[in-house]
Amino acid sequence: MVHNPTYRVISILQAVSNHQDGFTLSELTKETDIPLGTISPILKTLLDYRFLELDSSTNKYTIGIQSYYIGSSFVSKNSTLDLIRQEMNSLSNDCNETCQLGILKKGQVFYLIKVEGQEPIRIVSEVGKTLPAYTTALGKAILSRYTETELESLYPAGLKALTSNTITDMELLKKQLKDVKATGFAIENGESGEDTSCIAVPICQNHEIVAGLSVVYPSFRETKEKQDFIKTALLKYKSNIEKILVEHNLI
């Protein structure tokens, strides 16, 4: 039996964590289907204990620092994620660039693990943040598992641009995802950030795509030789991580 008061708290935190820009009170009430009179005291308590934050300029609720601490504690202490992080450390060292592991949440990529590269100029990203999946190589690697109908249902309002290079044509996105299925690699060229390049592969568990693994770097460092090297490295560590998932059944 579901305990409704607890379920409401969980619904609020899940909704806010899946939406990078946050929700106003009315939007959050609609999103969670919790009446205004019921949700208001819950939000006040979550604010008081810093599980949520309220932006006074937009009146939008976003995820708070205490939620981040709890999530960070899980990531840092979970032995399976430690094993995956070790593989990602090796991948980052091999490529000398930043690598990331992410999952999909309601059409958004949620970054679960990140290992920084050692180059003095590198792409800045954050664990726990989200981006529209169609704007990132990592996201496109995961989206390749969906049918065209399922893909359209993920983005009923269409594809919004983050940069001048972001794909906003659903048919073009579908074509790119077919290429991902055919080649095993997803590519990003300045779609989530003007000067960002990225290559990603899907991570599978029980023959289903459950996550994505990527190497991201500034576009000015891109060469054909670098792309080929990263692709070879990604395939190696994809295999290693998938073996970990089979043994530990994490994601």
Side-chain angles (χ1 to χ4, degrees):
M1 179 181 293
V2 175
H3 185 249
N4 283 332
T6 305
Y7 177 73
R8 291 183 186 119
V9 174
I10 294 171
S11 296
I12 292 167
L13 291 174
Q14 285 183 330
V16 175
S17 69
N18 287 329
H19 199 279
Q20 187 175 11
D21 296 330
F23 289 103
T24 63
L25 177 58
S26 61
E27 290 170 343
L28 194 52
T29 300
K30 182 178 180 181
E31 179 74 13
T32 60
D33 200 28
I34 302 174
L36 180 61
T38 301
I39 200 172
S40 294
I42 299 175
L43 293 176
K44 183 180 185 307
T45 301
L46 291 173
L47 286 172
D48 289 344
Y49 284 88
R50 303 179 72 192
F51 284 94
L52 293 179
E53 294 179 356
L54 180 61
D55 187 328
S56 59
S57 64
T58 63
N59 287 321
K60 287 191 173 185
Y61 293 88
T62 57
I63 206 71
I65 190 67
Q66 194 61 38
S67 297
Y68 170 78
Y69 288 150
I70 291 175
S72 296
S73 176
F74 169 78
V75 171
S76 64
K77 293 180 180 179
N78 188 283
S79 60
T80 305
L81 290 179
D82 284 342
L83 293 173
I84 294 174
R85 189 183 291 104
Q86 289 175 28
E87 296 295 334
M88 292 174 64
N89 277 326
S90 297
L91 172 60
S92 179
N93 288 335
D94 286 357
C95 298
N96 203 26
E97 299 288 359
T98 296
C99 64
Q100 302 171 121
L101 182 87
I103 59 176
L104 196 70
K105 288 190 172 185
K106 294 185 177 180
Q108 301 275 316
V109 167
F110 179 84
Y111 292 97
L112 188 60
I113 307 176
K114 180 189 73 169
V115 177
E116 293 277 9
Q118 299 304 309
E119 289 280 1
I121 299 176
R122 54 186 183 267
I123 301 299
V124 176
S125 59
E126 294 183 53
V127 169
K129 291 296 185 181
T130 60
L131 283 171
Y134 58 86
T135 69
T136 70
L138 195 156
K140 286 187 274 190
I142 305 173
L143 288 176
S144 66
R145 78 187 188 195
Y146 288 99
T147 66
E148 292 189 358
T149 301
E150 290 171 335
L151 191 64
E152 291 170 356
S153 69
L154 274 178
Y155 304 105
L159 310 178
K160 299 178 181 179
L162 294 185
T163 75
S164 59
N165 295 317
T166 302
I167 294 174
T168 56
D169 183 336
M170 181 62 75
E171 295 306 313
L172 180 56
L173 177 62
K174 291 175 182 176
K175 181 181 183 303
Q176 280 203 358
L177 297 183
K178 287 181 180 178
D179 291 340
V180 175
K181 291 178 182 178
T183 65
F185 297 100
I187 305 295
E188 174 189 346
N189 291 306
E191 295 159 55
S192 64
E194 293 285 357
D195 302 312
T196 301
S197 291
C198 188
I199 304 174
V201 291
I203 297 295
C204 298
Q205 184 178 29
N206 298 324
H207 307 293
E208 291 188 6
I209 298 172
V210 295
L213 177 69
S214 70
V215 174
V216 57
Y217 50 92
S219 299
F220 72 84
R221 282 206 290 267
E222 185 166 72
T223 63
K224 177 65 165 56
E225 291 75 18
K226 186 178 186 70
Q227 280 190 334
D228 290 343
F229 183 89
I230 289 174
K231 287 179 178 180
T232 299
L234 278 169
L235 288 179
K236 173 184 175 181
Y237 290 102
K238 162 186 165 72
S239 176
N240 293 350
I241 290 172
E242 287 177 345
K243 289 176 184 176
I244 293 171
L245 292 180
V246 168
E247 293 173 359
H248 293 80
N249 196 33
L250 173 65
I251 297 178

